Structures are given as C-alpha cells and as structure tokens.
Amino acid sequence: MAFCRTLANLLLSGTIALASTAHAAGITVHDARNRDVTVADFARTVSIGGAITEILYALGLENRLVGVDTTSLYPAAALHDKPNVGYMRQISAEGVLGLNPTLILAIQGSGPRETMDLLETAKVPLVLVPETFSEDGLIEKIKLVGHAMGVDARAECLSAAVSADLEQLRALRAKVTKPVRVMFVMSLQNGRAMVAGHKTAADEIIQLAGATNAVDDYDGYKIIGDEAIVAAKPEFVLSIERGKDSLQADAVYTHPGFALTPVAASKSFITMDGLYLLGFGPRTAAAARDLSVKLYPALTDGGAFASALSAANCRQ
C-alpha cells in the first residue's frame, strides 16, 4: 500500500511539474511506437539506453540529464555524475518519476512493459527511440534524439560527422578481398554457445567490419550445439567484455565444438567493450574500424574519424 501511495504521488507530481514548466509550443516527435509525442520541456531528461546517453553527451546536453540507466557506460561521467535508474530492461517507474523528469528518452526494448505503461500514465512525455541496427538506423537515432531535445542543428552536425565516419569505414572495408567468417558468442551456458544470428547488433557490426557472420540460418540469439558450431566453420570468435562474466579465450579453444574449427587452430578470439561494439551510438564506425583491423591486421585504419575531430563543434 505504501508503495502504491508513493507511486501515485510521483505520478501526480510528475504531471504537475510538466504542466508548470511546459512551453507554449511543443516539439512533435514521431517515435518507435508509430506515435506522435509532444515535448514541451526537456530541461529534466531521463535517458534509458547507453546509445541515447552517449548521443546526449556528444550533443553537449549533459546538463539537461537528471538520470541514466546502467547501460550508460560512456562517457564514464554519466553514471558517475547522474542518478542511476537501473537496468534498461528492469526499470522501476518509481525510480524514474522520483527524479521529476519532464522528458523520458528510452531505447526501444526498454521495460518491463508494466513500467513503460506506468510511465505513459504519468503524462510525462515518453519518447521510444527506434533501435535499428544499420547505418541509416544510426543516423536516424541521432536525429530523433536531437529533435526531441530541440537541437536539430547540433544533431545534423553530429549526423554529418558520423556519416563521414561510415564513408571512411566503407573505404577501409573495400580493401578486404576475402571476408573471414566470424561467430559472435554472447556466452557459454553449460557448454552450449549462445550465438548471434541475423537482425542483431553483432551481425551488423561484423558486416560493417568487412566480415561474414558465420551464422546465417536464423534471426536473433540462439543456443546452438557442437555440431552447428563445427558446421558454421568460424574463423574468429567475437565476444564482449562483461567483467567476471566475460567469455575467456581458453574456454573457447578447449570447447568440444570450437576445438574442431579454425578458431582453436589459429587462436582467433576477440573481445571488445560491449557498448562500444554493439551500442550503435556515435562511436559505431570507430568500433567497426577497430574490429576490422583486428580481423585483417594488414589493413591501415586511415587515421582519426570525423566525429572525433568535430565533436566540439556539435556541442554548440
């Protein structure tokens, strides 16, 4: 009962705060739910999703942030300086509304559903940012976040810089003459590998790096057996750094399935920061470049990317 009363008060106070600070003319944002959302005040924004937080900092909007989620690992100042509202798929409505936000930006897939429904009931503008793992999807994400925050010019600046990065990446990728086969392994559960198929961030980043996903017969993530691993013939295993839960190279090389693939023979295991590799934020082209150079050591990276060189200009 006490929780319900507290949540009800937060819902009411959130609505009152929004009404008292609303501007006469709002900004209309068409979000991932195929809905038009009117944003009247973005002075107190909660960001749910590491890529959204990274975009907001790249646009120089960190002073408007009053809360972030646990996936907001870059820049490090985000989680250090801002209140933490929890993991993006396990968000508490009370935790978000307790920050008296005037705008909530959440990446598509945030949850649970009950929390998202409560946040909509609070009448605080909730913009669900599309999560499309593609070059176009990345650019659209930047522009949508910038539009929701009323900084379209900055968003155009950042989009142009990231587009230039992607063009530079294409030039690097064009030097690849024989794409290698890469298998992204999220984890080994009781000796069985959870592996990324199509329509995943891992699948797209592998392609952006000029390689081929060794798994081509399903979408999403799936646990596969030893026979499927051997049949896929991966030349590299790619994974992400997750602290003590990180997949280790020796676990891959000694695995019964991978031991019969080129991965074990050539000791070809790569691990990278998760948000950097799979976040599909402003640094995605750089992450794909770094992966490409790891896969093809003979390549040269072509120097600094435009997004890094023009970062200060896009914050003004």
Side-chain angles (χ1 to χ4, degrees):
M1 289 297 293
F3 171 80
C4 292
R5 285 195 298 271
T6 301
L7 183 54
N9 290 334
L10 288 169
L11 291 172
L12 178 60
S13 64
T15 304
I16 293 173
L18 176 62
S20 64
T21 58
H23 301 306
I27 294 171
T28 300
V29 183
H30 194 74
D31 76 353
R33 298 164 299 181
N34 200 29
R35 299 181 186 177
D36 287 333
V37 181
T38 299
V39 179
D41 184 357
F42 29 66
R44 296 186 59 82
T45 300
V46 170
S47 172
I48 302 173
I52 296 176
T53 301
E54 187 172 336
I55 291 168
L56 291 171
Y57 271 82
L59 296 174
L61 303 175
E62 58 268 29
N63 289 339
R64 299 184 190 176
L65 272 175
V66 296
V68 298
D69 78 311
T70 57
T71 68
S72 299
L73 299 171
Y74 184 89
L79 272 175
H80 182 270
D81 297 344
K82 308 295 182 181
N84 181 353
V85 299
Y87 176 53
M88 59 167 284
R89 300 191 193 280
Q90 298 173 348
I91 296 296
S92 159
E94 187 176 36
V96 172
L97 295 173
L99 298 172
N100 295 317
T102 56
L103 172 63
I104 302 167
L105 295 176
I107 198 70
Q108 189 175 13
S110 298
R113 177 63 179 272
E114 294 79 5
T115 293
M116 306 310 286
D117 289 344
L118 280 170
L119 292 178
E120 288 197 49
T121 303
K123 306 302 181 185
V124 178
L126 170 63
V127 174
L128 204 62
V129 180
E131 182 70 293
T132 304
F133 302 122
S134 67
E135 294 185 18
D136 289 343
L138 171 57
I139 299 302
E140 290 171 5
K141 184 189 299 182
I142 293 170
K143 290 183 177 179
L144 187 146
V145 170
H147 181 57
M149 299 295 287
V151 291
D152 291 282
R154 296 190 199 184
E156 287 293 338
C157 171
L158 183 59
S159 297
V162 172
S163 294
D165 291 351
L166 292 169
E167 183 62 34
Q168 189 173 335
L169 178 64
R170 290 187 202 103
L172 179 68
R173 198 164 58 235
K175 299 177 183 179
V176 176
T177 57
K178 184 180 179 182
V180 294
R181 296 175 62 81
V182 179
M183 180 178 286
F184 180 85
V185 180
M186 179 63 75
S187 63
L188 286 175
Q189 300 178 358
N190 298 320
R192 303 186 70 192
M194 178 173 283
V195 177
H198 293 309
K199 296 183 180 180
T200 61
D203 178 66
E204 181 65 18
I205 203 73
I206 287 169
Q207 294 183 58
L208 287 176
T212 299
N213 189 347
V215 177
D216 60 4
D217 56 351
Y218 63 84
D219 296 340
Y221 286 86
K222 183 179 177 181
I223 294 178
I224 63 174
D226 296 352
E227 290 185 3
I229 292 173
V230 175
K233 300 178 182 178
E235 297 171 80
F236 285 83
V237 162
L238 175 65
S239 192
I240 57 173
E241 299 163 1
R242 298 193 299 169
K244 61 182 179 61
D245 295 322
S246 298
L247 182 62
Q248 301 298 319
D250 287 344
V252 173
Y253 301 149
T254 59
H255 184 276
F258 289 111
L260 299 177
T261 69
V263 170
S266 60
K267 297 293 188 291
S268 302
F269 176 75
I270 297 171
T271 183
M272 295 174 64
D273 175 80
L275 179 62
Y276 184 52
L277 184 69
L278 305 180
F280 274 74
R283 299 177 297 156
T284 289
R289 181 266 316 273
D290 290 352
L291 175 58
S292 187
V293 172
K294 290 176 184 291
L295 296 172
Y296 310 104
L299 294 181
T300 56
D301 62 21
F305 276 6
S307 60
L309 295 173
S310 63
N313 293 334
C314 297
R315 291 173 55 86
Q316 301 173 1

